[in-house]
């Protein structure tokens, strides 16, 4: 039976460069490995006494996120009154949030319970791909929802014709396909790295920017591609949201009565809150990773973006939306 290769540290080069981690191969293995086979997720803290508290806290937040988003999906699918484009996009946003939080939190909980921080190289790439996929889908679906509100308020008479089921399904497919392409771009950037100077990731999930920091080779070009593609992607989505709300606000200001203005804008309140929360925490996470020199502070910023935001989205939509609350009450009454 072949034994697994063993990773050993090497002394630094005389010129100050770094060496790739070297594997000591068993005698019956002749292939020289130039890349690592696993990484170590250091998590949020090294304090052993703090681990049970972190496990309980993250398990609680994960269950609340799953329950809240599943209730929204069940309410939308079970109530015919909610079979509209706005709630169709909302249910897909809840699905994306479920996938988003499920790519990181369960792995962290398992690592704490098993006292293991190991993640395989393939598992790291898979986690990174799904994290970017669902994160991008969140952003694209929020842009689709802004467009839906723009059509509903600025072109109410043509709303059923414009936002037909075919267009709604097409927009969701475009959001999924665009997010998939973006995740694969990040994957290709990381796959070009064949040498790592360390295998310890100062976070509880795999992030492409963190993997680039561990590379032995020069990653300036990779970083430029990574941040440029992310900036273009975010700029297009944010520009679409700003344009939609510019038209929405212009249309609302032309409404003569204050009651009519409030009623028109109240349909956008929940969506606007989620947009600010999503992009605000996302921008804070990336600014923290770019400016801060403390890996632990970067990890805390990541928690707000990857865990807290998906947990708050169902509460924002359910607490500020009478239709959702009525549908949930009807669903719970039927269930009981």
């Amino acid at each position: 039976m072949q034994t697994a290769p063993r990773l050993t540290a090497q002394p630094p080069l005389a010129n100050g460069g770094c060496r790739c981690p070297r594997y000591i191969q068993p005698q019956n293995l002749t292939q020289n490995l130039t890349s690592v086979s696993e990484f170590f997720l250091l998590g949020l803290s090294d304090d052993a006494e703090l681990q049970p508290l972190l496990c309980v806290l993250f398990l609680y937040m994960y269950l609340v996120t799953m329950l809240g988003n599943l209730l929204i999906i069940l309410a939308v699918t079970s109530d015919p009154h909610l079979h509209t484009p706005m709630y169709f996009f909302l249910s897909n946003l809840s699905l994306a949030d479920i996938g988003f939080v499920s790519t990181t939190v369960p792995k962290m909980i398992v690592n704490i319970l098993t006292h293991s921080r190991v993640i395989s190289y393939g598992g790291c790439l898979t986690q990174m791909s799904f994290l970017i996929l669902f994160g991008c889908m969140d952003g694209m679906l929020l842009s689709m929802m802004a467009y839906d509100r723009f059509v509903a308020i600025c072109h109410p008479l043509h709303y059923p014709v414009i936002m037909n089921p075919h267009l709604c399904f097409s927009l969701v497919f475009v959001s999924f396909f665009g997010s998939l392409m973006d995740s694969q771009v990040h994957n290709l950037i990381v796959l070009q790295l064949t040498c790592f100077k360390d295998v310890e990731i100062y976070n509880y999930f795999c992030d492409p920017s963190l993997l680039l920091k561990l590379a032995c080779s020069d990653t300036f070009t990779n970083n430029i591609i990574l941040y440029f593609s992310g900036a273009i992607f975010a700029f297009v989505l944010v520009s679409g949201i700003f344009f939609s709300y510019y038209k929405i606000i212009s249309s609302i200001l032309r409404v003569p009565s204050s009651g009519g203005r409030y009623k028109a804008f109240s349909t956008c309140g929940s969506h606007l809150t989620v947009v600010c929360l999503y992009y605000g925490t996302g921008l804070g996470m990336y600014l923290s990773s770019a400016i801060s020199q403390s890996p632990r502070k970067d990890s805390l910023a990541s928690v707000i973006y990857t865990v807290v935001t998906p947990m708050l989205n169902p509460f924002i939509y359910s607490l500020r939306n009478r239709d959702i609350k009525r549908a949930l009450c009807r669903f719970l009454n039927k269930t009981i």
Side-chain angles (χ1 to χ4, degrees):
M1 179 182 296
Q2 293 181 347
T3 58
R6 185 161 52 90
L7 179 65
T8 60
Q10 291 212 57
L13 295 175
N15 59 2
C18 64
R19 290 185 185 270
C20 298
R22 179 171 64 85
Y23 286 86
I24 296 179
Q25 299 290 336
Q27 307 239 339
N28 53 353
L29 289 179
T30 59
Q31 181 183 8
N32 291 325
L33 299 179
T34 59
S35 62
V36 299
S37 61
E38 59 188 22
F39 293 98
F40 294 90
L41 300 173
L42 299 185
L44 298 176
S45 174
D46 295 326
D47 189 354
E49 297 180 355
L50 197 60
Q51 300 306 310
L53 176 62
L54 289 175
C55 182
V56 173
L57 178 62
F58 275 81
L59 179 61
Y60 172 77
M61 289 192 293
Y62 179 69
L63 293 177
V64 170
T65 303
M66 295 291 290
L67 179 62
N69 284 288
L70 285 175
L71 284 176
I72 286 183
I73 294 172
L74 291 173
V76 172
T77 55
S78 63
D79 194 333
H81 298 92
L82 300 184
H83 292 175
T84 61
M86 180 176 71
Y87 294 110
F88 173 72
F89 291 129
L90 177 59
S91 60
N92 280 278
L93 180 68
S94 295
L95 280 174
D97 281 337
I98 289 174
F100 189 52
V101 74
S102 296
T103 58
T104 57
V105 177
K107 176 62 178 175
M108 180 185 183
I109 294 174
V110 169
N111 286 353
I112 294 175
L113 293 177
T114 59
H115 305 286
S116 172
R117 298 182 176 184
V118 177
I119 184 171
S120 66
Y121 180 77
C124 187
L125 291 180
T126 302
Q127 185 187 63
M128 183 186 68
S129 297
F130 280 106
L131 184 70
I132 297 173
L133 170 65
F134 291 118
C136 290
M137 277 197 69
D138 269 355
M140 294 195 73
L141 286 171
L142 288 174
S143 297
M144 308 297 181
M145 295 171 75
Y147 175 72
D148 172 75
R149 292 298 84 204
F150 157 69
V151 177
I153 294 175
C154 299
H155 306 283
L157 298 180
H158 300 91
Y159 180 76
V161 177
I162 298 175
M163 300 302 297
N164 57 77
H166 177 73
L167 178 63
C168 293
F169 280 104
S170 299
L171 291 176
V172 171
F173 176 77
V174 168
S175 68
F176 173 79
F177 185 76
S179 302
L180 182 63
M181 291 297 100
D182 188 62
S183 69
Q184 294 311 303
V185 168
H186 287 75
N187 244 354
L188 290 175
I189 292 174
V190 174
L191 284 173
Q192 293 178 2
L193 306 177
T194 58
C195 173
F196 296 90
K197 58 189 176 185
D198 198 357
V199 293
E200 294 183 340
I201 299 176
Y202 286 90
N203 214 322
Y204 63 96
F205 62 89
C206 291
D207 185 87
S209 62
L210 296 178
L211 292 177
L212 287 176
K213 291 180 181 179
L214 300 180
C216 287
S217 57
D218 182 23
T219 59
F220 178 77
T221 303
N222 292 335
N223 275 306
I224 291 296
I225 297 174
L226 183 70
Y227 285 106
F228 182 76
S229 63
I232 292 296
F233 192 85
F235 175 77
V236 171
L237 297 183
V238 172
S239 297
I241 293 174
F242 268 111
F243 176 78
S244 297
Y245 273 100
Y246 168 74
K247 292 293 186 181
I248 288 171
I249 294 173
S250 300
S251 179
I252 290 176
L253 292 178
R254 290 196 295 267
V255 176
S257 64
S258 59
R261 287 195 296 268
Y262 175 79
K263 184 178 180 181
F265 194 74
S266 63
T267 62
C268 306
S270 299
H271 175 259
L272 195 57
T273 304
V274 172
V275 167
C276 295
L277 183 65
Y278 174 81
Y279 285 101
T281 55
L283 182 62
M285 185 187 73
Y286 281 103
L287 287 178
S288 175
S289 62
I291 299 174
S292 175
Q293 300 298 322
S294 173
R296 295 303 180 190
K297 290 182 179 180
D298 298 345
S299 301
L300 293 176
S302 301
V303 170
I304 298 176
Y305 179 69
T306 60
V307 182
V308 177
T309 299
M311 181 181 68
L312 293 180
N313 287 351
F315 291 99
I316 293 172
Y317 274 104
S318 60
L319 294 178
R320 295 178 59 90
N321 193 302
R322 295 180 181 177
D323 294 334
I324 291 289
K325 288 189 285 188
R326 291 170 183 168
L328 285 174
C329 290
R330 285 193 288 265
F331 174 77
L332 292 176
N333 288 334
K334 289 180 182 178
T335 305
I336 294 173

